[in-house]
Amino acid sequence: MRQECLPPPGPGEVRVRTLWTALSRGTERLVFEGRVPEVVAERMRAPAQAGEFSFPVKYGYCAVGETEGGTPVFALQPHQEAFNAPEAALCPLPPGLPPRRGVLAANMETALNAVWESGAGPGDRIAVVGGGVVGLLVAHLCAGLPGAEVCLIDRDPARADTARALDIPFAPPEAAAPDADIVFHASASEAGLALALSLAGEEGQIVELSWYGDAPVAAPLGLAFHAKRLRLVASQVGAVAASRRPRWSHRRRLLKALALLRDPRLDALLTEEVSLADLPGALPRLLAPGAPGLCTLIRY
């Protein structure tokens, strides 16, 4: 744990007292393990990061706090008790969104961007491979498309309960239905990517949401990949989806992500709380590969 002196807010800045932050488990695991490749280190900087990869570094981008005037806000800020931020970088929480659930905004923004990039529409048969926070949010958004047939696929049977809480059909890998119009892959595993490729129907699209850091990943691009004329598309939240980019700013997208979190069923994704004081000791357990649970909240 590092201590630092927080100066008075500068011109155009606002002081925020942190209420909650959340671990973005996939990305923060790679940072924690020192596995951010040098070639993308600049792109993977958190907006308010201090220090350089791999250590010491102050990282994180899922913070909800309260301004000195009492306004609850979301900010792309690391895990710390208080911070100064430009007023333009703070997004007020919409009415009806509890601050605790607001920490999901960055993940919801990632999911929203991926759905835009997929071109998913009403009536589509959609498979989501990987039932982590982002996969669940993608499935949740797609389930709101009229007539869409959405299925969440994960090898962990515990994800079935979360899917049920969100009214999303669930299947283990061996029971996943083929011939999907669109497949989202969010398991961050070779096996998951192979499954996603196998589930896409003729000329279907696979949207890759996983980030593997410096790990080499074998993609089975033989078999029926070419014969079925499949499309494999990368989705990354750093840029607004091309279909929306001329009209949507990052801020507009983030405000929409916050508005989409007002569904109380999404509390099912918040599975553990840890105090900031206990966080250093808890991180190895929370970020271990295969760790149970979904979104871990840090309580201030």
Side-chain angles (χ1 to χ4, degrees):
M1 188 78 76
R2 298 292 180 102
Q3 301 289 330
E4 66 178 25
C5 180
L6 191 61
E13 288 189 331
V14 176
R15 169 71 55 84
V16 178
R17 178 178 63 88
T18 309
L19 300 172
W20 303 94
T21 58
L23 288 176
S24 185
R25 189 176 287 186
T27 302
E28 292 197 53
R29 176 182 294 130
L30 293 172
V31 173
F32 180 73
E33 294 174 350
R35 293 175 49 209
V36 178
E38 186 176 343
V39 67
V40 293
E42 192 59 33
R43 287 176 177 266
M44 294 310 300
R45 288 186 65 87
Q49 176 178 322
E52 304 297 329
F53 298 119
S54 46
F55 298 102
V57 63
K58 182 167 68 174
Y59 203 78
Y61 45 81
C62 307
V64 172
E66 196 171 72
T67 67
E68 292 181 325
T71 301
V73 294
F74 177 86
L76 300 167
Q77 288 281 334
H79 310 291
Q80 59 189 73
E81 292 174 316
F83 56 87
N84 299 327
E87 188 169 8
L90 302 175
C91 289
L93 268 57
L97 176 59
R100 189 174 182 271
R101 195 188 311 144
V103 297
L104 293 170
N107 292 129
M108 177 61 90
E109 192 178 14
T110 300
L112 176 62
N113 210 54
V115 173
W116 283 345
E117 290 183 308
S118 74
D124 277 340
R125 182 180 295 164
I126 299 168
V128 181
V129 178
V133 173
V134 171
L136 282 159
L137 289 172
V138 167
H140 170 70
L141 291 178
C142 290
L145 295 168
E149 302 171 30
V150 181
C151 185
L152 180 77
I153 300 149
D154 200 286
R155 65 184 181 184
D156 182 356
R159 296 290 190 262
D161 292 334
T162 312
R164 192 177 303 114
L166 296 175
D167 299 317
I168 297 167
F170 176 87
E174 62 273 14
D179 295 322
D181 298 296
I182 296 167
V183 184
F184 294 91
H185 178 234
S187 81
S189 69
E190 277 190 15
L193 177 57
L195 177 62
L197 288 164
S198 73
L199 295 178
E202 197 82 13
E203 300 202 27
Q205 180 166 264
I206 302 94
V207 180
E208 176 59 276
L209 279 152
S210 302
W211 186 52
Y212 303 92
D214 60 0
V217 177
L221 300 183
L223 304 175
F225 180 78
H226 285 83
K228 291 168 70 175
R229 298 177 58 85
L230 301 182
R231 288 170 291 158
L232 181 59
V233 176
S235 179
Q236 206 273 342
V237 73
V240 175
S243 63
R244 302 300 193 278
R245 205 173 299 157
R247 301 170 302 281
W248 285 74
S249 64
H250 285 83
R251 181 175 179 82
R252 182 185 175 191
R253 186 182 63 180
L254 182 52
L255 287 169
K256 179 57 67 176
L258 284 163
L260 290 168
L261 289 174
R262 286 182 289 191
D263 189 333
R265 294 178 299 171
L266 295 173
D267 284 337
L269 277 62
L270 308 173
T271 53
E272 185 174 359
E273 289 182 18
V274 175
S275 72
L276 177 64
D278 293 335
L279 184 59
L283 277 175
R285 171 181 64 84
L286 295 171
L287 297 179
L294 289 163
C295 180
T296 298
L297 292 148
I298 294 101
R299 183 179 62 250
Y300 294 76

